[in-house]
Amino acid sequence: MKKFIAVLSTMVMLGTLASCGDNSTTTDNGSSNNGTKTTTTAKADETTTKAEESSSGSKTVGIAMPTKSLERWNRDGEYLKAQFEDAGYKVDLKYSDNKTEQQNNDIQSMIADKVDLLLIAAIDGETLSQTLADAKAADIPVIAYDRLIMNTDAVSYYVSFDNYTVGKLQGEYVRDALKLDSEAGPFNIEFTAGDPADNNAGFFFNGAFDVLKPYIDEGKLKVPSGKTTFEQVATPTWSTDKAFENMQNTLASYYSDGTQLDVALCSNDSTALGVAQAITQDYGGSNAPIVTGQDGDIANLQNIVDGKQSMTVYKNVSDEAGVTLDVAKAILSGQTPDGNLSLSAEATFDTTTYDNKVKVVPSYLLVPYVITKDSLDKLVDTGLYKWDSSNKYLESTASTT
Ligand code: BGC
């Protein structure tokens, strides 16, 4: 079955790559949130003026993405490249195969090539300090993309979603689906969290756990495995295979006696894919446990249609790319972006939440929302997904973006 999941992961990856096309020169080289905030309202006009184009024409933006093996980063890379190029910038986009050393080397080579700005989605937020010190010495501004970069003063801005809210939406979904405020329970839940090297993972877990903890304390929600800390349920590299194995072990150890599993709270779609597969294969109960996710990956949207996953928290990464472009443009034209920056999508300017242990990094946080089987059309409305020829499943329009 391990093999099946490996094949599944590969299929997901290949499906993604196929759907994304390959119109770029990229390679994978082998392979609690309560700060003071200002809301910046979206502006509709995305037109780039001729003047802007000519001032950006000579500038190059280096984009470092973690890996092509997790679906969303393929979409991020494609949207970022397209939007920056449309605005007149040259783009150097590199994927680093989820290897920290490779990402350091890739960024070093962009610094050597004298890119004008770096956008980095870190593989391990803790491992880039020296490389970013070199970027700073070369006067290259750095935007942390989606994941915060830790232990450095060289990161100027952070563009992401409200990560705590992502988890909170998952917790609230579970609370409402089980009617925890009115039903007596008890219900059984298990948690699957993300990669400890990714600063986002703790925010997602805490957002969900903070909603559900009162019900756990009250005894309405039980965790038969006893695993209730982030460290106990983390999934290195957000691996589908690892999440699958962990869930298999949990089911074998705590549910083989007929105990009912009501909820598998998964922080994102890559882990939800493995967990749903373990449930399909190894869970003996007659109920369909609630499975949460995040991202709107194609395989997970398929699972939502098939009743194997209940919801996903959707993050429009095309909008994330757009806001990143807004911030980058401002920096490259000598401005200091703040809460007054005009943005192409709704985002909150946050100057208190994201402390990277050296500085609190000013952040633009976009708005995530829940998608269920009943609201898949909302994804079609974004223009980033379309119904397939059977009209049953969604596919990405990313390759034509
Ligand atoms: C992103 C998630 C994604 C995860 C694994 C996180 O940093 O915010 O959207 O699911 O990485 O790729």
Side-chain angles (χ1 to χ4, degrees):
M1 185 40 54
K2 215 169 155 183
K3 196 167 159 206
F4 175 84
I5 276 290
V7 172
L8 184 75
S9 311
T10 311
M11 279 167 57
V12 170
M13 192 175 101
L14 292 177
T16 304
L17 294 179
S19 74
C20 285
D22 193 13
N23 59 355
S24 73
T25 54
T26 62
T27 57
D28 209 340
N29 297 339
S31 61
S32 250
N33 187 6
N34 52 6
T36 311
K37 296 166 180 180
T38 316
T39 299
T40 310
T41 325
K43 76 169 166 55
D45 182 14
E46 288 171 21
T47 321
T48 306
T49 64
K50 284 272 174 274
E52 273 171 331
E53 272 183 22
S54 60
S55 72
S56 53
S58 53
K59 296 198 168 129
T60 302
V61 175
I63 303 180
M65 289 282 122
T67 175
K68 288 190 165 184
S69 69
L70 293 165
E71 182 187 316
R72 69 156 288 188
W73 305 110
N74 294 275
R75 287 187 272 123
D76 291 83
E78 184 172 353
Y79 297 137
L80 282 165
K81 187 170 189 303
Q83 294 186 32
F84 274 84
E85 285 180 351
D86 282 354
Y89 296 97
K90 293 193 192 91
V91 169
D92 182 1
L93 170 60
K94 285 187 164 54
Y95 287 85
S96 307
D97 201 21
N98 251 354
K99 297 187 177 108
T100 53
E101 199 186 330
Q102 188 170 321
Q103 188 167 54
N104 271 291
N105 292 339
D106 285 341
I107 296 169
Q108 285 292 359
S109 93
M110 295 181 194
I111 296 170
D113 288 346
K114 298 191 171 36
V115 296
D116 296 282
L117 182 133
L118 280 164
L119 298 182
I120 301 172
I123 293 164
D124 181 337
E126 304 273 352
T127 60
L128 294 170
S129 309
Q130 183 50 52
T131 297
L132 292 203
D134 295 344
K136 188 176 178 187
D139 267 336
I140 301 173
V142 176
I143 298 177
Y145 181 81
D146 202 83
R147 298 172 170 175
L148 188 61
I149 305 170
M150 311 302 288
N151 297 321
T152 173
D153 67 347
V155 54
S156 315
Y157 287 91
Y158 177 46
V159 178
S160 191
F161 283 79
D162 182 335
N163 295 304
Y164 183 82
T165 294
V166 170
K168 188 164 169 255
L169 290 171
Q170 294 169 337
E172 288 171 351
Y173 179 88
V174 169
R175 180 196 65 199
D176 297 347
L178 293 178
K179 301 195 179 64
L180 288 175
D181 287 325
S182 54
E183 296 289 324
F187 300 99
N188 292 328
I189 184 168
E190 298 294 342
F191 292 88
T192 298
D195 186 350
D198 177 351
N199 186 60
N200 289 351
F203 278 85
F204 301 145
F205 177 78
N206 289 337
F209 200 79
D210 288 352
V211 174
L212 298 174
K213 185 172 182 299
Y215 305 100
I216 295 175
D217 291 346
E218 201 187 327
K220 251 186 199 184
L221 268 183
K222 296 200 178 300
V223 189
S225 70
K227 294 179 186 163
T228 53
T229 65
F230 173 76
E231 290 72 21
Q232 287 172 315
V233 297
T235 312
T237 72
W238 296 94
S239 155
T240 297
D241 296 2
K242 189 81 197 130
F244 170 75
E245 276 168 31
N246 290 346
M247 194 63 196
Q248 270 198 316
N249 291 337
T250 298
L251 291 172
S253 307
Y254 306 99
Y255 293 85
S256 58
D257 61 356
T259 300
Q260 174 161 317
L261 173 66
D262 297 294
V263 185
L265 189 300
C266 303
S267 284
N268 87 328
D269 279 355
S270 62
T271 54
L273 204 58
V275 166
Q277 185 56 39
I279 291 172
T280 301
Q281 186 199 317
D282 289 358
Y283 177 58
S286 53
N287 65 312
I290 293 167
V291 177
T292 64
Q294 163 190 195
D295 285 329
D297 286 353
I298 294 299
N300 298 78
L301 297 177
Q302 201 158 329
N303 272 357
I304 289 177
V305 171
D306 292 341
K308 294 179 183 173
Q309 183 171 326
S310 317
M311 59 88 84
T312 192
V313 177
Y314 182 63
K315 306 194 299 192
N316 185 322
V317 295
S318 176
D319 285 350
E320 189 176 11
V323 169
T324 305
L325 173 61
D326 299 330
V327 177
K329 260 187 191 170
I331 295 174
L332 287 169
S333 60
Q335 298 164 41
T336 305
D338 59 15
N340 295 318
L341 182 68
S342 182
L343 299 174
S344 53
E346 189 184 347
T348 296
F349 184 60
D350 180 318
T351 54
T352 58
T353 305
Y354 286 97
D355 185 341
N356 79 350
K357 299 186 209 161
V358 173
K359 68 188 269 197
V360 178
V361 184
S363 308
Y364 291 89
L365 305 176
L366 289 93
V367 185
Y369 53 91
V370 170
I371 290 289
T372 63
K373 189 172 181 173
D374 294 335
S375 57
L376 288 168
D377 269 326
K378 271 200 203 171
L379 294 183
V380 177
D381 293 344
T382 64
L384 304 174
Y385 297 83
K386 60 182 181 197
W387 290 105
D388 69 2
S389 51
S390 71
N391 235 14
K392 188 173 175 201
Y393 298 115
L394 291 183
E395 53 192 30
S396 173
T397 60
S399 54
T400 55
T401 302

